[in-house]
Amino acid sequence: GAGVSGLAAARALRERGVRVSLLEARDRIGGRVFTHRDARSAVPIELGAEFVHGSSPEVTRIAREAGLVVVDIPESRWEHRGRRRIRSKDFWGRLDHIMGRLRADRTPDRSFHEFLATAPGGRKFARDRALALEFVEGFQAADALRISERALAKGGSPAGDEAEQRIGRVVDGYDHVPGWLARSPNDAVRLRTVVRHIEWEPGAVRVESARRVFTARAAIITLPVGVLQARAGDPGAVSIHPTVPRADQSLSLLASGTVTRVVMLFREEFWRRGKLAKVSFLQGADPDFPVLWTAAPAREPVVVAWAGGPRGAALALLSADERRDRAIASAARQFGIPRARLSSLLVESWTHDWEGDPFSRGAYSYPLVGGSKAGAALARPINGTLYFAGEATVDEADSGTVHGAIRAGRRAAAQLLRRL
């Protein structure tokens, strides 16, 4: 696949003189980095990955090499409580009141929901527990009933590390990152090549697409977890023969999270007239989209409505029009603006159904109970012939991120180079 992980692997191999073919089912590169542009918006519309999380050394290095500008998003967080909107003070500290009580050595492992059921911190931290639940469902795109406590303890939040709490954005669009990675192996990328079957034996791989067959000494597989878990006959499914029990076991302990995002462009920055003038994030216990964010620090009338986990899964079942209507209603509730007025200000909206996309089958991965080591296990080479990479195969602190996917692709390339 020609997401950032596959592109990073192909580039590293090409630079060492290895012949590669990069097979991509879509008609574009980037995978779950999906940037759309519209002449009516001064900022790119990100339908997939948007943020540069923490130090992100891999993305930061590419940005410097490619001359891209990454800006930090100001920490202007607000919460919607009932009819009030209040400044969210010490967001990361409050989150750490709860996440800091998770145990990486929990035996047996348990879900985040089971952890919360013990009321960590007592009555004093009830609101912080609600914040932590919103964070895990939103940021991790996870079902609290299924995600591993051990995994979250190892990297579920940036804790007190201010460098890792930073959130940035590529000003000219995140698609410039895969574009830069593709500069070296560009002629090896084969778009619209849907792989159906992989046949392998030690030292030899046969990859079948609808149009032709490719043979090689090895294959790096950077397919998303949702695609790897698809059953025969499912859209986008890829069969591997003979099966790889170790990989199947690892995949059984991982899940593909669900996210619904609606990007809305308005005629004006309607929030600039009140106390929310500099808001970057607005969140609350909204029944549909509990998190909203603006284009800050850019002064552009764009609002993103975001729902992860179970809420995101429920919204993904709706039509694009229904999702847009729910997003407008959520924004009206949380900004305290009449819905009819907000609807009248809407210029356009965009969304992408990652759950229904056969080449992603979900957003990004998270470990299930008992699966805190599943990603690392999946990253181990299979008989020097099959190598798995992608965001699911890095440690918990970097899974689900663009920089984690790039790192995984480079790691798989290094493993293969040692073998060759």
Side-chain angles (χ1 to χ4, degrees), residues 34-48 260-266 289 300-305 320-321 323-324 327 346-354:
F34 186 16
T35 306
H36 173 75
R37 289 175 177 81
D38 191 292
R40 295 168 291 182
S41 174
V43 298
I45 307 300
E46 301 290 2
L47 298 176
T260 295
R261 167 211 294 260
V262 178
V263 185
M264 297 173 284
L265 174 66
F266 295 97
F289 290 93
E300 186 67 7
V302 169
V303 174
V304 177
D321 287 347
R323 278 176 268 161
R324 176 204 61 211
L346 184 70
V347 175
E348 186 59 274
S349 67
W350 299 268
T351 188
H352 183 76
D353 181 9
W354 293 104

Side-chain angles (χ1 to χ4, degrees), residues 147-171:
I147 190 169
S148 159
E149 174 181 346
R150 284 180 184 169
L152 286 172
K154 292 178 180 178
S157 70
D161 190 336
E162 292 187 5
E164 297 307 316
Q165 292 170 4
R166 296 167 63 190
I167 302 175
R169 187 183 283 119
V170 181
V171 173

Side-chain angles (χ1 to χ4, degrees), residues 267-307:
R267 301 186 196 283
E268 61 183 57
E269 293 174 280
F270 55 83
W271 59 90
R272 288 282 181 182
R273 296 170 185 160
K275 62 183 181 180
L276 296 178
K278 296 182 180 180
V279 65
S280 52
F281 292 92
L282 176 60
Q283 57 198 89
D286 191 85
D288 290 321
F289 290 93
V291 182
L292 307 171
W293 63 76
T294 68
R299 293 189 177 185
E300 186 67 7
V302 169
V303 174
V304 177
W306 174 278

Side-chain angles (χ1 to χ4, degrees), residues 226-243:
V227 174
L228 291 171
Q229 292 174 333
R231 295 172 295 183
D234 288 344
V238 178
S239 63
I240 300 176
H241 182 79
T243 58

Side-chain angles (χ1 to χ4, degrees), residues 6 34 70-71 81 92 105 173 175 214 231 247 249 274 287 317 381 396 408:
F34 186 16
V70 179
V71 296
R81 297 181 187 170
W92 296 110
D105 60 351
D175 60 342
F214 300 84
R231 295 172 295 183
Q249 173 64 19
L317 300 174
E396 287 77 5

Side-chain angles (χ1 to χ4, degrees), residues 142-411:
D143 185 342
L145 292 166
R146 307 182 69 204
I147 190 169
S148 159
E149 174 181 346
R150 284 180 184 169
L152 286 172
K154 292 178 180 178
S157 70
D161 190 336
E162 292 187 5
E164 297 307 316
Q165 292 170 4
R166 296 167 63 190
I167 302 175
R169 187 183 283 119
V170 181
V171 173
D172 291 330
Y174 225 145
D175 60 342
H176 285 291
V177 171
W180 180 258
L181 286 169
R183 289 183 60 175
S184 173
N186 184 58
D187 59 333
V189 178
R190 301 176 185 274
L191 301 176
R192 303 181 188 87
T193 303
V194 182
V195 172
R196 306 292 190 192
H197 183 65
I198 299 172
E199 191 88 22
W200 73 282
E201 62 183 32
V205 177
R206 186 175 187 272
V207 179
E208 298 177 11
S209 74
R211 293 186 291 181
R212 62 168 288 187
V213 173
F214 300 84
T215 58
R217 288 177 62 183
I220 296 177
I221 301 170
T222 64
L223 300 172
V225 164
V227 174
L228 291 171
Q229 292 174 333
R231 295 172 295 183
D234 288 344
V238 178
S239 63
I240 300 176
H241 182 79
T243 58
V244 185
R246 174 155 61 83
D248 290 343
Q249 173 64 19
S250 297
L251 287 167
S252 72
L253 293 171
L254 297 170
S256 185
T258 306
V259 162
T260 295
R261 167 211 294 260
V262 178
V263 185
M264 297 173 284
L265 174 66
F266 295 97
R267 301 186 196 283
E268 61 183 57
E269 293 174 280
F270 55 83
W271 59 90
R272 288 282 181 182
R273 296 170 185 160
K275 62 183 181 180
L276 296 178
K278 296 182 180 180
V279 65
S280 52
F281 292 92
L282 176 60
Q283 57 198 89
D286 191 85
D288 290 321
F289 290 93
V291 182
L292 307 171
W293 63 76
T294 68
R299 293 189 177 185
E300 186 67 7
V302 169
V303 174
V304 177
W306 174 278
R311 276 184 245 192
L315 289 165
L317 300 174
L318 304 178
S319 69
D321 287 347
E322 289 175 309
R323 278 176 268 161
R324 176 204 61 211
D325 292 344
R326 296 283 187 97
I328 292 172
S330 288
R333 285 191 292 267
Q334 297 193 60
F335 280 103
I337 293 174
R339 178 175 176 177
R341 178 170 181 270
L342 202 55
S343 294
S344 71
L345 292 174
L346 184 70
V347 175
E348 186 59 274
S349 67
W350 299 268
T351 188
H352 183 76
D353 181 9
W354 293 104
E355 188 76 8
D357 186 329
F359 307 126
S360 60
R361 301 181 66 87
Y364 41 86
S365 67
Y366 65 90
L368 301 175
V369 174
S372 62
K373 298 180 180 179
L378 187 61
R380 292 201 291 269
I382 308 295
N383 291 101
T385 306
L386 297 184
Y387 299 79
F388 290 90
E391 52 83 14
T393 66
V394 294
D395 59 47
E396 287 77 5
D398 298 309
S399 64
T401 66
V402 173
H403 65 267
I406 294 171
R407 185 180 306 165
R410 290 173 175 167
R411 182 213 64 234

